[in-house]
Amino acid sequence: MTEIRWHSRAGQGAVTGAKGLADVIAGTGKEVQAFAFYGSAKRGAAMTAYNRIDDKPIRNHEKYMRPDFVFVIDPGLTYIADICLNEKDDTKYIITTHLSKEELLKSKPELEGKSVHVLDCIKISQETIGKPIPNAPMLGAYIKVSGVLEIDYFLDSFKKVLGKKLPQKIIDANMVAIKRAYDEVN
């Protein structure tokens, strides 16, 4: 089973990103979960979202997990949330930051020696979508780091998920954001 924990602020799209990822993965025949935990239900409050992915039915519905991936889509939460909580030895971190990987590791020594990938999802979303909603770029980074799906398959499938809710202009901008993040994550 693959477990993913998203660290975000309410309004940054983590819940939508987790649900969109679950929709795409479910289309491959796998079992999925997507859910969220809100502390304070106001825009800007710290929150977490979760995914579980497996080939077998998922019977665990608890928020407790030992994540295989941790997504941090708000840079400040890297320093104020316990992003390493219940980590595994091989947990992979994808962190939104304007810092280089070396600068991030220097500022957050707890991440030293871990599998850490960085990119500026907020900048990418502002430049492509026109709003600081970093969920789509985070998904592009995940597809690259995990290798779980081919990028073209993900883009085609995610376009269908977004097509249920958004105008074509926004869908196209999200596709650019996802592809750009896929190319830029390191």
Side-chain angles (χ1 to χ4, degrees):
M1 178 181 312
T2 300
E3 296 182 310
I4 301 168
R5 185 175 64 225
W6 300 64
H7 290 271
S8 177
R9 295 198 181 275
Q12 291 183 312
V15 174
T16 302
K19 288 179 179 178
L21 177 61
D23 283 349
V24 171
I25 298 292
T28 69
K30 293 192 180 282
E31 300 290 322
V32 295
Q33 285 181 352
F35 57 98
F37 179 76
Y38 299 89
S40 168
K42 4 179 224 195
R43 188 173 197 79
M47 53 86 56
T48 48
Y50 304 87
N51 287 106
R52 285 194 178 95
I53 304 165
D54 204 347
D55 293 324
K56 302 175 291 206
I58 301 170
R59 302 200 191 306
N60 179 1
H61 296 280
E62 300 295 322
K63 99 177 169 165
Y64 173 82
M65 65 172 48
R66 299 205 54 221
D68 298 283
F69 291 89
V70 173
F71 302 164
V72 182
I73 66 174
D74 184 278
L77 294 176
T78 303
Y79 305 100
I80 63 171
D82 187 359
I83 65 170
C84 298
L85 181 68
N86 300 322
E87 70 183 351
K88 297 178 179 179
D89 290 339
D90 60 349
T91 297
K92 293 176 177 55
Y93 294 84
I94 306 175
I95 300 175
T96 297
T97 181
H98 66 280
L99 301 174
S100 69
K101 182 176 175 178
E102 293 73 27
E103 291 169 323
L104 176 70
L105 293 175
K106 187 174 180 180
S107 70
K108 181 78 172 170
E110 302 92 320
L111 293 172
E112 191 68 48
K114 300 182 188 318
S115 178
V116 176
H117 306 271
V118 299
L119 74 160
D120 195 339
C121 292
I122 292 176
K123 179 181 177 184
I124 291 170
S125 66
Q126 285 177 318
E127 291 178 356
T128 57
I129 302 167
K131 294 180 181 182
I133 303 176
N135 59 349
M138 184 56 72
L139 290 171
Y142 169 67
I143 297 304
K144 175 74 171 268
V145 171
S146 69
V148 69
L149 297 169
E150 294 294 324
I151 186 64
D152 291 334
Y153 175 85
F154 182 80
L155 290 169
D156 289 342
S157 298
F158 199 63
K159 193 182 299 185
K160 292 173 188 161
V161 169
L162 293 178
K164 300 173 188 173
K165 303 174 188 173
L166 299 172
Q168 191 62 46
K169 178 180 175 183
I170 302 298
I171 294 169
D172 293 343
N174 274 273
M175 296 303 106
V176 172
I178 291 166
K179 182 65 169 89
R180 182 170 157 191
Y182 179 90
D183 292 338
E184 290 183 17
V185 69
N186 59 34

